[in-house]
Amino acid sequence: MPAGPVPSGPGIGAAAPKSKLAGILMTAFAAFGGILYGYDTGTISGIIAMNDWLRTFGSFTGVTSASPSGYTLSTSNESLVVSILSAGTFFGALGGAPTADLLGRRVGIISSCIVFALGIALQTGASNWATFIVGRFFAGFGVGLVSTLVPMYQSECAPKWIRGAVVSGYQWAITIGLLLASVVNNATKDRQDHSAWRIPISIQFIWAFILFVGMFWLPETPRWLIKQGRDDAAAKSLSRLTSLPPDDPEVQTELDDIRAALREEQERGESSYLDCFKFNKSKIAFRTLSGILIQAWQQLTGINFIFYFPHPRPVGTTFFQRAGIKNPFLTSVATNIVNVFMTLPGMWGVERFGRRSLLLWGAVVMCICEFIVAIIGVTISVNNTAGQKALIALVCIYIAAFASTWGPIAWVITGEIFPLNIRAKAMSLSVASNWLWNWAISYATPYLVNGDPGDANLGVKVFFIWGSTCAGCIVFTYFCIPETKGLSLEQVDLLYQNSTPITSARYRRELIARDVHVADVKGAHDIVEDRDEKEQV
C-alpha cells in the first residue's frame, strides 16, 4: 500500500519497517470488534418485525394488512427497544475511559466481550419484555466500550505508515457486520418459532468469542504500559509489534519518545475530564472539541436517512420502492454491498492521499449528491421511473463517498489526535458524541419526513438539510482537521504545538524529512526557527 514519504533507514515502533507484518496483523485483528458493533445495530430492525418475536413481546390488535400476524408493538415500546441500545452504547463509550486507564486497552476489550455476551444471553433466553430490554442495554454497553477501546488500541499499536488503513479496518468490520445482519435476518425471518429471532441474536456469541480469545494472544499497547511505569513490559510489547529484540536501540528510542511526550503532559498535573478542555500550547481543548465534533459531523452527513437499521424500515427505502424494487431485503443488501466494498478504497486512500484531503473531497461529493437528490426529488413525479432510478444512482454515489471517506476516517482522526495522558478520556467523549447524535438523528428523522399530524412532512426535501450539513463538514475540516498521515502519535503532538490545520501539511513534511522525535526537543525548535527564517526571506 502506498504510504507517502517516510524517514530513511529502518523504522521503529510506530514507524515499524513496512516488511514487518506481525505488528500489523495483530493490530488489524482488533478491528474484529467492529463486527460486534455492526451486527448488533443491524440485526434488531429485522428481529422486531418477525412474527414470532411480535407474538412473544407484542400485543394482539387483530389481523390487518399492516399486521398479518395480528400482533404489533406499541409506539412507546418500539421506541424503547430501539433507543435502549443507544443509551447503552452512550454510557458504554463514556465507560471506555476508566476501563482503558485502569485495566488497559487489551484487557478492556476482553472485558467488553464479557459484558456484551451477558446482554446477548439475556436477549436469547428472554421470555418477557423486561429481560429483553435489559439484555439490549448490556449489549449496547458492551458495544459502546468496544467502540472506544478498539480504535484506541489500534492507534497505539499500529505502525504509523499504515495506521490510518488499520484503524479504517474497524469501520470496514462495522459494514461487514451490518451486511451479515441483513443476510441472517432474511434467512430466518419466515420461521414461525422462537428460532426466528434467537438464531440471529445468539450468533453474536461467535463474534464475541473470537474477539475475546484473540485478544489474549495480542500484546498490551506499549504506550499504556509506559504510562503505568512498566517499562520492561512496554519494551517486550514493542518488541512483539516490531519483531525486534527488546533491547534493540530502535525500540529504546521509540520508548524514549513515548516517555518524553508523557512526561511533558504529566508535568501539567494529573489528568481529568476538565483537562480535556484546557487551552494551552498543546491545544488540548481544540483537539478534544475536534474529536467530539468530527464524530458529530459524521452522523450529520445524513447517512442514516438511507442506512438506519435500528428503525424497522429505513426511510430511504422509499426511493428504491418507487424505482420498482419492492423487496426491502434487496434494498438492504444493495446499500450494504456498496457500503462494504467502497470502504476498501478509503482504507487505501487514507495513506495515499491523507486524512484531510479525503475528508474535504468526500464532504464535497456528498454535498453535491444530496443537493441534486433534493432538487430532482421535488421537481419530478414519483411515477417518473427514470428519474427515480437517477435518484438511486445518486444515493449510491453518496453512500460510496461516505464509505470511502467520512465513514472510516472519523475513527482514524479520533484515534490519533489526542496526547497519551488524556487519550482515553478524550476518545470516550468523542465516541459518546457519535452515539448521542446517532440517537438524536434517528429519533428526529421520522418526524422530519413523515406526513402524520404534527410531522414536518419534508419527504425528499430533507436532503436539503443533509446537503447543508455536508457543507458544514467542508468548513469544519478545512479549519479544524490537520494532516497527520505518516506521523507517530508523539509527532502529532508536535504538529499541533507548532502549526495550524491549514499549515499542517507543510509542517508534517518537515517533521518527516528531518525524522524529528519528541525527545529531540532541539530538533523540533530548529524546524520552527528554520520555517520562520524561510517566511522572513
Side-chain angles (χ1 to χ4, degrees), residues 228-250:
Q228 301 301 308
R230 297 166 57 184
D231 288 20
D232 290 342
K236 292 179 181 178
S237 172
L238 194 53
S239 171
R240 287 189 64 191
L241 293 169
T242 60
S243 300
L244 294 170
D247 58 352
D248 189 281
E250 295 176 352

Side-chain angles (χ1 to χ4, degrees), residues 77 80-81 84 123 128-138:
N77 281 349
L80 177 61
V81 76
I84 197 67
Q123 290 177 78
N128 60 74
W129 181 248
T131 304
F132 193 87
I133 292 300
V134 172
R136 291 295 295 163
F137 178 84
F138 276 104

Side-chain angles (χ1 to χ4, degrees), residues 109-126:
I109 295 173
I110 292 172
S111 301
S112 302
C113 294
I114 297 174
V115 176
F116 179 77
L118 172 62
I120 299 307
L122 288 171
Q123 290 177 78
T124 302

Side-chain angles (χ1 to χ4, degrees), residues 344-361:
L344 294 173
M347 294 172 64
W348 169 78
V350 70
E351 299 299 352
R352 176 63 179 85
F353 304 109
R355 287 76 157 137
R356 180 178 166 89
S357 297
L358 283 186
L359 287 174
L360 284 170
W361 285 109

Side-chain angles (χ1 to χ4, degrees), residues 197-220:
W197 51 275
R198 283 180 171 169
I199 289 175
I201 292 175
S202 60
I203 281 177
Q204 296 176 93
F205 282 120
I206 299 174
W207 319 139
F209 178 77
I210 292 173
L211 184 62
F212 177 85
V213 174
M215 291 305 298
F216 274 100
W217 297 96
L218 270 58
E220 181 57 81

Side-chain angles (χ1 to χ4, degrees), residues 492-535:
V492 171
D493 289 335
L494 292 177
L495 184 78
Y496 270 100
Q497 292 171 13
N498 298 296
S499 70
T500 67
I502 297 175
T503 63
S504 61
R506 180 181 58 184
Y507 186 74
R508 168 193 159 274
R509 288 192 295 269
E510 294 175 351
L511 283 174
I512 291 176
R514 298 198 174 193
D515 193 16
V516 174
H517 297 278
V518 174
D520 187 7
V521 178
K522 184 178 184 300
H525 290 167
D526 285 344
I527 285 181
V528 177
E529 292 172 1
D530 289 348
R531 185 187 64 190
D532 293 342
E533 288 177 2
K534 291 177 183 177
E535 291 176 350

Side-chain angles (χ1 to χ4, degrees), residues 281-302:
K281 177 184 176 183
S282 297
K283 302 177 184 176
I284 300 300
F286 176 73
R287 293 157 78 170
T288 301
L289 291 173
S290 295
I292 291 172
L293 290 174
I294 196 171
Q295 291 286 348
W297 282 115
Q298 186 202 52
Q299 293 297 310
L300 287 166
T301 59

